[in-house]
Amino acid sequence: MMARPDSAPLRIPLPSWMREFGQIRRAAVLFAGTLGIAGAAVFASYWHMNHARSAEAYAQARRDDARSRLTHAETEKAEIRLYQPQFLELRRKGLIGDERRLDWVEAIRQIQQRRRLLPLSYEIEPQQPYQLETQLSMGDYQLRGSRMALRMDLLHELDLFHFLTDLRQAGTFTVQDCVIRRASNAGTAPLAPTLNAECTLNWVTLTVPPAISGRGQP
């Protein structure tokens, strides 16, 4: 029998259960790694799905907003086509825009001359905001009025009615009150007035306040 050299390593075989434990540990590490990768993949898929849903919801909101603005623009265009002729007609008559006092004065002079009316006099007060009994939506416009005190000598009632009818061609006004009395010297002279009329008129205009009309100007 030969002796084993001192430098030869001593190999002791491992028990079978230790070899099996090593294999189980490697399998567990591999399983844990696979589970981690699967979890990361699930998380990434969930994140991408939520991101896609958010992007879809945002895009849908943008589409809805664009569709709403388009519908609103189409409605405004239809309203402009519908109401523009009326707006232009009201502006031509002097209801919309700055008041036209010189036009009123000239119209009174022409009516008196054409109708051959007896002498009349009037006073126009400064323009003030005009209050209606019922509230109306006027947008950026403001309703303003100028009160006129009118005094007329009349041969008969129709002189007053014809005068007011003709005067409406010069602008828009309301008759606040009108009092007709018998003249004190009725019938004492040729073409003497038989009646005296005192009326209060309110000339109204729709104007844009300076604070709004000046927007956008430097």
Side-chain angles (χ1 to χ4, degrees):
M1 184 174 182
M2 298 178 61
R4 180 179 61 84
D6 294 338
S7 59
L10 179 62
R11 296 182 178 179
I12 301 176
L14 294 176
S16 60
W17 68 270
M18 293 186 67
R19 291 194 299 272
E20 293 176 356
F21 178 76
Q23 294 175 357
I24 293 174
R25 184 176 63 182
R26 286 193 298 273
V29 171
L30 180 61
F31 176 75
T34 304
L35 186 62
I37 293 173
V42 170
F43 176 78
S45 299
Y46 180 77
W47 183 86
H48 283 293
M49 182 178 64
N50 284 341
H51 181 72
R53 287 178 177 175
S54 299
E56 182 182 6
Y58 177 74
Q60 182 65 38
R62 291 287 300 273
R63 286 194 297 269
D64 292 343
D65 181 63
R67 188 179 298 112
S68 176
R69 286 184 293 175
L70 178 61
T71 302
H72 182 69
E74 292 295 333
T75 302
E76 284 190 339
K77 288 170 59 177
E79 290 179 349
I80 289 174
R81 288 193 297 267
L82 178 63
Y83 295 111
Q84 187 179 30
Q86 302 176 27
F87 176 86
L88 295 177
E89 179 63 17
L90 292 176
R91 188 167 63 180
R92 185 189 67 81
K93 291 182 176 180
L95 176 60
I96 297 177
D98 297 333
E99 65 175 8
R100 305 173 182 177
R101 293 199 174 202
L102 294 179
D103 293 346
W104 307 340
V105 172
E106 180 62 19
I108 292 173
R109 186 191 67 79
Q110 292 182 5
I111 295 170
Q112 184 181 17
Q113 182 179 8
R114 185 176 65 253
R115 293 278 183 182
R116 297 181 180 179
L117 301 176
L118 297 179
L120 59 85
S121 62
Y122 55 87
E123 295 177 0
I124 305 176
E125 298 180 3
Q127 190 182 53
Q128 300 290 337
Y130 191 80
Q131 299 295 331
L132 296 175
E133 295 181 359
T134 57
Q135 295 294 329
L136 295 177
S137 177
M138 300 182 186
D140 292 336
Y141 285 87
Q142 182 183 55
L143 185 63
R144 300 178 67 83
S146 297
R147 182 174 298 175
M148 172 187 285
L150 174 68
R151 291 173 290 277
M152 297 182 63
D153 291 335
L154 309 173
L155 292 176
H156 48 77
E157 296 90 341
L158 288 179
D159 287 345
L160 176 61
F161 299 146
H162 291 159
F163 173 82
L164 294 178
T165 300
D166 293 349
L167 191 59
R168 291 194 183 278
Q169 302 302 315
T172 303
F173 62 85
T174 62
V175 180
Q176 179 175 326
D177 54 61
C178 214
V179 178
I180 301 177
R181 299 183 179 90
R182 183 174 297 277
S184 58
N185 58 344
T188 59
L191 297 180
T194 60
L195 301 169
N196 301 124
E198 294 184 1
C199 300
T200 302
L201 311 181
N202 289 305
W203 293 88
V204 293
T205 53
L206 283 170
T207 59
V208 179
I212 296 177
S213 60
R215 288 176 183 172
Q217 297 181 1

